[in-house]
Structures are given as structure tokens and as C-alpha cells.
Amino acid sequence: MSMFALTNARGETVDINNDKLLSYTPTGLGVQFTNTYSQYETYFKATKSTVTQGQFQINILFGDVESQAYQTFSDFAQFLAYQPLTLTYTTDSGTWYRDGRLNSLTKTEIGGSTVFATDRINESFTIEFINNWYNNKTAEYKSYDPDPNLGQYAKIYSYTYQPYYVYQESSRPSNEKVMSLNNKSQYFGLQSGSPSIITVKGPCSVNPTWTVVQKGNVVATDGFVLTLTDNQKLVVSSYPEDQYARLYNPDGSYVDVSQLQDYTKTNFVQIPEGESTVLFYLDADSDVNITFKEERLLV
């Protein structure tokens, strides 16, 4: 895959750096802050800092030959109709994703571009970002048979780019499940945690609850007044653009259960930067996994 690719809401992906869609001069991949200060004599104390919404702009030559320019432009326009769009940015430092919506796509005639004359349609394409650069990280709880020769037993946690192991004392209650996470997001002090999707798979005969702990402090909690059969799952998303709590049935249908959330808790948890522990209180046979966004303002 080239440096830039776009994916639309239907899951279709277009490489925007090939013979038919030849892109050049990208801008808007960085970050800009708006900072407010209070002044004392010759000193300035920062009082507020916000990040400016980013815009990605790139020029595109449509069609590998003149006779295909208009059709290639039309195909691209139809692709853009299904929003939001996800930009994939790949360099030697890795692959990152960022979501956005179309701001503009110019349209001129062949040879009529203000950039330079060409035998193809030569246009400027701009999208407005609606979130940060991100990679989705997943940790999954899976039981592991106890070793009778050890005073403790292991639980395996599958963490994206490789699995790692966490050891618990064997005296831990069977309905308490533990995940250790390491969130390497970088927010420049503007945000305290990353949005997550938590999935609890039944059976669960108790009200499922979970707590996020960091450095001995409880930083987030959530829970629901409901139970799950062995073929149901509870999915809770704290993604700002798509926040929900749903109970899914085996056929893929679901019902909204946000009204059953325990409002004594913080609800819709975010995963803090750095190392943290998530404690789940479920049935011994319940499974759970977490997906959270490892985010950066600059990549």
C-alpha cells in the first residue's frame, strides 16, 4: 500500500497514489494549538490550550490517460458519497488512521487547472479531521489452567503487535477478572484517556461491572443492571462519535440498554494514558475483551 489510502463508510478502499489517482503536495498532517495566556509583567502563564481542527489537503491527477480522466473523477466522487472517510497514513514509522469528512473537491476542465496545465483533470481535495491519529489496540481475557506446582496461575491477554502474560494470586475470587493495559497515547495534556469498546460475553448471572484503576486510584467505573444468557453479549462504546450500550442476540439483533446503566458510576469508561488495570466482576464463565484507541496528535 502507498503512503495514502482512503476508506469510505461502506468499507471500500481507494489508493490515492497510483497511476489513475496520482496525488502530490499533501498538507495538514501536523498539529496546531490555540493557546491563551495571562500576562504578569514580562511573563506569560498558560491558562488554556485547545487543538485546532485539522484539514488534510492534497492535489490529485485523475486518470492515467486523458480519455479516462472524467470517468476516474466520477468514480472517485461516487466513492466519497459514503461518509465518514478514514485516511490511512503509512510511513517507515508505522501505519496510522484518522477519520474525516469531505470539505471540498474542486472540478475544472482538462488543462484548466490553476496549479499547472496538464492533459488530465488536476484538482484539489480536502477533508476535515474529526478525531486524532489512532490505532486500535485489543486485549482479550482468556482463562488458563492452573499449575498445581505454583502458588499462582496465569491469565493470557492477547494484545495487538503480540500476547503477554499477567499473573494473579490463586486466591482471587473466581468472578473477578483482571486486565493489565498499557496505553501509549499522547494527548499533550489536552485529554485524560482514550475511548474504548468493552464487550462482555455471557453467561453472566450477576450485574456486570468494571473498574479502571491507575496507581492505586479508581479513575473510571461502569456497570449495568442486567444479566446475560450464554449466547448474548453486552457491548459498550465510549467513542464520542458513536457512544452506545447494546445487548446483542445470536442473530445479530440488539436492543439499547443505556437506560439500565448504573448511574452511580462514571459510565462509558476511557482508558488512561500509561499503565492501568481493569477489574471486571462477572461470572466465572464470562469472557470479556477491550478495544481502545491508541491516539496521537502527531505521528
Side-chain angles (χ1 to χ4, degrees):
M1 182 176 288
S2 67
M3 181 174 288
F4 298 110
L6 283 173
T7 302
N8 66 14
R10 295 205 300 188
E12 300 165 330
T13 299
V14 170
D15 186 338
I16 58 172
N17 195 18
N18 57 58
D19 291 338
K20 289 189 176 182
L21 292 171
L22 182 60
S23 61
Y24 63 97
T25 323
T27 60
L29 297 168
V31 67
Q32 181 179 353
F33 298 98
T34 300
N35 299 314
T36 304
Y37 301 89
S38 86
Q39 183 177 359
Y40 174 72
E41 296 181 340
T42 59
Y43 301 93
F44 295 83
K45 180 179 179 181
T47 57
K48 187 177 182 180
S49 182
T50 58
V51 65
T52 302
Q53 183 177 11
Q55 282 192 342
F56 171 73
Q57 185 174 79
I58 198 165
N59 295 300
I60 302 178
L61 285 168
F62 291 90
D64 54 353
V65 294
E66 181 178 347
S67 61
Q68 296 181 1
Y70 292 107
Q71 186 60 55
T72 303
F73 182 93
S74 178
D75 292 343
F76 187 63
Q78 292 179 56
F79 166 85
L80 296 177
Y82 301 95
Q83 298 192 63
L85 305 168
T86 298
L87 176 68
T88 302
Y89 180 40
T90 302
T91 68
D92 57 8
S93 66
T95 297
W96 292 86
Y97 305 91
R98 201 167 184 182
D99 303 326
R101 302 190 71 87
L102 179 65
N103 172 269
S104 67
L105 174 61
T106 63
K107 176 69 184 293
T108 58
E109 288 298 316
I110 290 177
S113 171
T114 58
V115 180
F116 59 83
T118 179
D119 61 354
R120 288 185 280 175
I121 298 177
N122 185 8
E123 307 303 335
S124 176
F125 167 67
T126 305
I127 60 174
E128 296 172 327
F129 291 129
I130 59 175
N131 55 14
N132 308 313
W133 296 106
Y134 67 87
N135 272 306
N136 289 321
K137 299 294 183 179
T138 299
E140 184 173 4
Y141 178 94
K142 293 184 178 179
S143 60
Y144 188 79
D145 292 336
D147 184 340
N149 298 316
L150 296 175
Q152 55 190 8
Y153 62 90
K155 299 290 183 182
I156 300 176
Y157 301 91
S158 173
Y159 190 68
T160 302
Y161 309 130
Q162 57 187 351
Y164 64 92
Y165 298 84
V166 176
Y167 289 89
Q168 311 172 196
E169 295 180 359
S170 59
S171 59
R172 185 176 295 280
S174 61
N175 67 334
E176 183 181 88
K177 303 178 186 295
V178 181
M179 282 188 183
S180 296
L181 304 178
N182 187 12
N183 181 3
K184 297 180 181 179
S185 295
Q186 297 172 355
Y187 292 116
F188 288 73
L190 302 183
Q191 186 171 315
S192 60
S194 302
S196 67
I197 296 178
I198 294 176
T199 302
V200 178
K201 300 176 183 178
C204 187
S205 61
V206 298
N207 294 336
T209 62
W210 47 93
T211 301
V212 183
V213 179
Q214 186 176 54
K215 297 180 180 179
N217 298 313
V218 173
V219 296
T221 57
D222 206 348
F224 289 80
V225 184
L226 55 79
T227 58
L228 303 171
T229 64
D230 60 1
N231 56 10
Q232 289 182 312
K233 61 182 180 181
L234 171 66
V235 183
V236 184
S237 169
S238 65
Y239 286 20
E241 69 276 18
D242 193 20
Q243 190 178 85
Y244 61 81
R246 298 171 179 167
L247 181 64
Y248 280 85
N249 298 306
D251 62 0
S253 63
Y254 65 85
V255 293
D256 176 32
V257 292
S258 56
Q259 74 278 8
L260 300 179
Q261 206 161 23
D262 183 349
Y263 295 113
T264 66
K265 304 183 182 300
T266 63
N267 304 143
F268 295 113
V269 303
Q270 293 191 332
I271 307 302
E273 291 181 71
E275 296 182 352
S276 64
T277 300
V278 188
L279 305 175
F280 291 89
Y281 299 92
L282 313 165
D283 278 4
D285 295 329
S286 303
D287 281 324
V288 64
N289 65 63
I290 297 176
T291 297
F292 66 90
K293 286 186 174 183
E294 183 175 290
E295 299 184 302
R296 306 282 172 86
L297 300 185
L298 276 174
V299 295

